[in-house]
Amino acid sequence: MLGEIELLRKDKQIGSSLQAKVVITGGGEEMSLLEAHGDELPMLFIVSEVELRRTSGDALTISIERASSERCERCWRHVPTVSKESGICDRCQNALAEAGSS
């Protein structure tokens, strides 16, 4: 997966791994494990998005695409929850709110 991301960077299709979306297609136990940890996968892979597409086969295939969401001005992840007013994502808004209440 890292090699595919680096090829996209070399071809100037993305500037960093945070502009990438990983698409994993497949089934079986491996897909079930990935689905159970789906929310953590973008942070684990150091990308903005991970899409899991379940199919009937057991084999997993991985492809890399350019992330389509807006970029958070604070963490630089491309996520659908970026506020139009502040330019930051929900996760960063929560982090700033917690830091302000300390």
Side-chain angles (χ1 to χ4, degrees):
M1 176 175 43
L2 185 57
E4 290 182 43
I5 291 173
E6 287 304 313
L7 288 174
L8 290 177
R9 290 184 68 198
K10 183 179 177 182
D11 291 342
K12 307 283 188 214
Q13 293 180 30
I14 62 173
S16 75
S17 65
L18 290 177
Q19 290 179 322
K21 172 183 177 178
V22 175
V23 179
I24 303 174
T25 305
E29 291 180 27
E30 286 96 0
M31 183 58 84
S32 296
L33 179 64
L34 291 169
E35 289 170 338
H37 299 284
D39 291 342
E40 292 91 23
L41 293 178
M43 296 302 245
L44 178 68
F45 297 156
I46 312 173
V47 296
S48 287
E49 299 177 54
V50 175
E51 181 179 339
L52 302 174
R53 297 178 184 165
R54 184 169 275 283
T55 60
S56 58
D58 285 344
L60 296 179
T61 59
I62 300 172
S63 62
I64 309 297
E65 301 174 1
R66 184 177 176 89
S68 58
S69 301
E70 294 293 320
R71 185 184 84 163
C72 174
E73 295 298 322
R74 182 173 180 264
C75 69
W76 290 23
R77 294 180 316 132
H78 291 255
V79 293
T81 60
V82 174
S83 167
K84 296 290 184 195
E85 294 82 37
S86 66
I88 61 174
C89 66
D90 290 346
R91 190 184 104 198
C92 287
Q93 288 178 5
N94 292 337
L96 291 172
E98 287 178 19
S101 65
S102 303

